Amino acid sequence: MEYSRRTYRKLVQGKGMVSFPVLLKESDLLISIDSGSFSGELKKKSLSLLSGIRSDLEQYIVRDEEFQWTLIPHRLLPGAPRIVRLMAAAAMRAGVGPMAAVAGAVAEVMGRELQRTAREVIVENGGDIYFKTEHPITTGIFAGKSPLSGKVSLRFSPRPSGCGVCTSSATVGPSLSLGCTDAAIVISHSAALADAAASTLGNLVHREEDITPALEKVCKIRGVQGAVVILGDKLGAIGDVELVSF
């Protein structure tokens, strides 16, 4: 399964859902909408939303270059747009730089806007996911070369108010991680917070002995509902987590 080419998307199976990609510059999203709400106009709206989110973020970074590079929570300039405020708030809770929340924040803003007109929506942004569903869903866990990769999944009950599940990894993907995990996963009502907290979790784990204290620390972050760590052939989980075979 090659992460960089998003080949894991071939495994997406959503009964009653219509899935389509939305691509713009570096952004590569897969959006799933319930078939009763899907329309060509919704596809156009998705691209327009992504364009607006990226424009807001890019224009803010021109004003505040440190926002893009800092690895610690950041104080915003006046007039920061919604996407920037969401990232900064999540980063503040998790104790990381705001860009650690960017993928989850984009997925969340997209999803919350689309759910105004769609009954069910799933937005996947490079493995970081925001979803609002009326039926249970299962998400597979890709953990690089770990023997547990592709063997374990997370099962979620219906989440009519929205949910985020995001992953950080030191061995998969381009994102910065200061730890050694194959997968550090966090579940939250907010995908932005899940993304930032997943970075925190990944940064804390360097060896097997770190797994339990890292999970306990991350679950103390207000808004975090559950977390999972995969390190080689070791797995740890805490909180509102239901693990099933993939």
Side-chain angles (χ1 to χ4, degrees), residues 39-199:
S39 68
E41 288 303 312
L42 207 54
K43 287 184 69 173
K44 293 178 182 178
K45 180 180 180 179
S46 298
L47 182 58
S48 177
L49 282 171
L50 181 58
S51 178
I53 292 167
R54 286 193 59 100
S55 178
D56 285 347
L57 182 56
E58 290 165 356
Q59 289 179 34
Y60 181 80
I61 288 172
V62 170
R63 295 173 52 211
D64 185 1
E65 292 185 10
E66 187 179 354
F67 179 89
Q68 186 175 13
W69 305 115
T70 183
L71 299 181
I72 60 175
H74 184 67
R75 184 173 181 177
L76 300 179
L77 298 177
R82 176 187 180 188
I83 183 70
V84 169
R85 297 194 307 272
L86 183 60
M87 291 167 61
M92 183 68 70
R93 285 198 200 180
V96 293
M99 290 301 289
V102 63
V106 170
E108 181 174 348
V109 173
M110 290 282 293
R112 292 196 183 278
E113 286 296 324
L114 291 171
Q115 72 187 42
R116 293 174 183 267
T117 52
R119 194 175 75 251
E120 296 184 283
V121 59
I122 304 171
V123 181
E124 182 264 314
N125 187 8
D128 295 321
I129 303 168
Y130 172 85
F131 62 94
K132 172 189 176 291
T133 59
E134 297 177 354
H135 63 279
I137 69 168
T138 301
T139 65
I141 299 175
F142 180 54
K145 295 182 180 179
S146 164
L148 298 174
S149 183
K151 303 289 180 62
V152 182
S153 301
L154 289 167
R155 186 182 186 276
F156 295 92
S157 59
R159 301 296 172 105
S161 59
C163 181
V165 53
C166 297
T167 305
S168 176
S169 176
T171 61
V172 181
S175 297
L176 174 66
S177 177
L178 304 180
C180 298
T181 62
D182 293 299
I185 304 160
V186 172
I187 302 161
S188 171
H189 66 283
S190 163
L193 179 59
D195 199 4
S199 294

